[in-house]
Amino acid sequence: MITVSDLTLSFNGQNLFSGVNLLFQPGNCYGVIGANGAGKSTFLRILSGELEPTKGQVVLDEKSRLSVLKQDHFAYETYTVFETILQGNPRLYQVLQEKDALYAKEDFSEEDGNRAADLEAEFAELGGWEAETEAGKLLQGLGLDNLLLYNLMSTLTEGEKVKVLLARALFGQPDIILLDEPTNGLDLNSIAWLENFLLEYEGTVIVVSHDRYFLNNVCTHIVDIDYTKIKMYVGNYDFWYESSQLMQRLLRDQNRKAEEKRKSLEEFIRRFSANKSKSRQATSRKKLLDKLTLEEMPASSRRYPYVSFTMDREPGKEILAVEGLSKTVDGVKVLDDLSFRVNKGDKIAFLADNEIAITTLFKILMEELPPDEGTFKWGVSTSRSYFPQDNSPYFQDGDDSILQWLEQYSKDTTETYLRGFLGKMLFSGEDVYKPVKVLSGGEKVRCMLSRMMLFESNVLLLDQPTNHLDLESITAVNNGLMEFKGIVLFTSHDHEFVQTVANRIIQLRPDGSVLDRVTTYDEFLEMTR
């Protein structure tokens, strides 16, 4: 259990958050959400004891062991994988080190023998004899071979290090686990395994994530950081989002009678409580929702950008024909005799173990790269807009303001129109005069989305559009693409995004074959398991 009392954190006289009072209890999973820069990772650092608050305190049960997902992928280069994972339980690692040092002594004394006996007893009590087996199971669950246990961390790939550090955080049955973006860098099978692990875990989990599907599956509560306040709500992310939107609509309509408002909210709670549960934590969540009062419903002041794609004209029957495309990048053949056709109404999610393959395909289709072999042909009625994964070439003239940058892509170049457009994308007031060279990753993504909307194309190509975005912006882009009447070719790591946008899946497999199915993402996963 963690108790947060009257917590305040200030930087340069400004409160990041203040007067925070929260209680985190065992058996629950708490999803921490908030706009970029709201202080989500900072809040986790305070809970872990890494950062001192300006005021207030964080109290852990005296015997509770807290484990944290580390983000420094190069901090353990000189250790083996097993040593790295074992350090997730600092006391166990310390006992093992001291025990091994004693046995290595040439002048082993009686006193050393007594100390070694004590250490052996503590080692067994801490689960030391099962540690290697547990570490191996964690690695296997995350899709790694347990033969890696005695490899040096310096020999692993970046993706393998991400998984080892996650295994480190989960090792040894800690009482409290703090996870900051745990699904970053994980493949779908590893994410599914992590979800199941957390659903069965009986301690306290506090997780920061932009993955809505993950938050919906594992969370019993949402902790919302919003305008210097941190509030806790019962339910998963979808419940928080839908109920906060409902509350905002009702609060805007002050003429509605209080009793009508109460009935509407109570019906919403009943509907959500009736959802089928699929796990111990989901069952727990349902019980919590059953007890929920209207006073505990969220009324977030969070702002969402307005993302809406319109078409300058309807596309005809002929959209895109790809025949025998091949391409080698840095000596690796990433596309091998690829052929497919895009039809009217298609919203296609492209999947591949090697993400470079999809990025390369999109660049070829946008004529930024020539293919080594093969052809492609766009229909004469198509117009295309492209969202690249790397947008840095679009911001090379860094002294331009946001207003000047957007002007080059707009038919209407009046300041009134451009300011109104940018205001919908959350660039208001003096923000529009900020040089683009100082923009954050999320702000640049919002600029690139604005550019795409101005083009009014009937075919959209998007390479990882949710990268760098907060949950509000991801939701807005998601909704915008769902409502778009044209063609969408895209790739994304966001499960919910793919599931709700795509009506067709094309998977580029490592052996060069292609699996092409007209289906939803969840159905595709079921048929390929």
Side-chain angles (χ1 to χ4, degrees), residues 135-419:
K137 287 181 178 178
L138 289 170
L139 288 185
Q140 287 182 315
L142 291 166
L144 297 180
D145 194 321
N146 60 6
L147 294 176
L148 289 175
L149 275 175
Y150 291 98
N151 287 18
L152 283 174
M153 288 289 287
S154 59
T155 66
L156 304 189
T157 66
E158 186 73 8
E160 289 169 338
K161 289 176 183 176
V162 168
K163 292 181 177 182
V164 171
L165 292 180
L166 181 55
R168 180 187 186 278
L170 304 178
F171 174 76
Q173 300 177 338
D175 302 290
I176 301 163
I177 303 176
L178 304 185
L179 302 172
D180 193 352
E181 297 292 355
T183 61
N184 282 1
L186 295 188
D187 54 77
L188 292 170
N189 290 333
S190 299
I191 293 174
W193 177 87
L194 176 61
E195 288 174 2
N196 289 329
F197 181 96
L198 295 180
L199 287 169
E200 296 301 320
Y201 174 71
E202 297 185 357
T204 305
V205 181
I206 304 174
V207 56
V208 171
S209 179
H210 287 132
D211 188 329
R212 295 163 298 165
Y213 186 84
F214 180 76
L215 291 174
N216 282 329
N217 278 352
V218 303
C219 289
T220 59
H221 297 72
I222 292 296
V223 177
D224 181 28
I225 304 180
D226 189 14
Y227 292 101
T228 77
K229 301 297 181 185
I230 305 181
K231 295 181 180 179
M232 184 184 294
Y233 302 101
V234 172
N236 62 9
Y237 177 76
D238 274 355
F239 180 80
W240 174 88
Y241 174 71
E242 291 190 32
S243 56
S244 67
Q245 294 297 295
L246 177 60
M247 284 293 289
Q248 285 181 344
R249 288 196 298 273
L250 295 179
L251 289 172
R252 283 195 296 265
D253 186 4
Q254 295 298 326
N255 295 324
R256 187 181 297 273
K257 293 179 181 178
E259 185 57 29
E260 289 178 356
K261 173 180 173 181
R262 176 172 291 275
K263 286 180 180 179
S264 182
L265 291 174
E266 286 176 343
E267 174 57 32
F268 177 80
I269 294 171
R270 278 195 297 273
R271 178 168 62 83
F272 235 95
S273 295
N275 283 353
K276 290 183 180 179
S277 58
K278 69 170 193 176
S279 66
R280 181 183 63 78
Q281 283 199 343
T283 303
S284 169
R285 182 168 63 223
K286 182 182 182 304
K287 290 178 181 177
L288 291 167
L289 285 170
D290 287 340
K291 300 175 183 177
L292 188 63
T293 64
L294 298 184
E295 290 70 28
E296 294 169 319
M297 294 281 280
S300 174
S301 55
R302 197 74 49 73
R303 297 171 64 209
Y304 292 78
Y306 177 73
V307 178
S308 178
F309 299 100
T310 57
M311 301 185 292
D312 55 359
R313 58 182 173 179
E314 279 278 336
K317 290 183 179 179
E318 298 296 323
I319 306 298
L320 172 66
V322 174
E323 299 290 343
L325 278 190
S326 295
K327 184 68 178 179
T328 297
V329 178
D330 295 331
V332 178
K333 198 165 193 176
V334 296
L335 298 176
D336 187 8
D337 194 26
L338 174 63
S339 300
F340 62 90
R341 297 182 72 86
V342 177
N343 306 308
K344 191 171 182 178
D346 276 347
K347 293 184 177 180
I348 306 175
F350 288 83
L351 310 179
D353 288 346
N354 184 358
E355 293 180 8
I356 296 174
I358 301 174
T359 296
T360 301
L361 171 63
F362 285 1
K363 285 184 175 181
I364 289 173
L365 296 180
M366 293 304 296
E367 300 184 5
E368 292 186 6
L369 278 178
D372 295 337
E373 298 174 31
T375 62
F376 66 93
K377 184 179 180 181
W378 289 102
V380 294
S381 64
T382 61
S383 53
R384 283 86 63 192
S385 290
Y386 177 43
F387 181 98
Q389 189 171 162
D390 177 14
N391 59 40
S392 55
Y394 293 85
F395 297 93
Q396 289 182 342
D397 193 356
D399 291 327
D400 278 355
S401 67
I402 299 175
L403 202 63
Q404 291 169 322
W405 185 88
L406 193 64
E407 183 181 352
Q408 62 186 311
Y409 303 113
S410 179
K411 295 173 186 175
D412 187 339
T413 59
T414 62
E415 183 169 335
T416 301
Y417 173 78
L418 292 173
R419 286 183 70 100

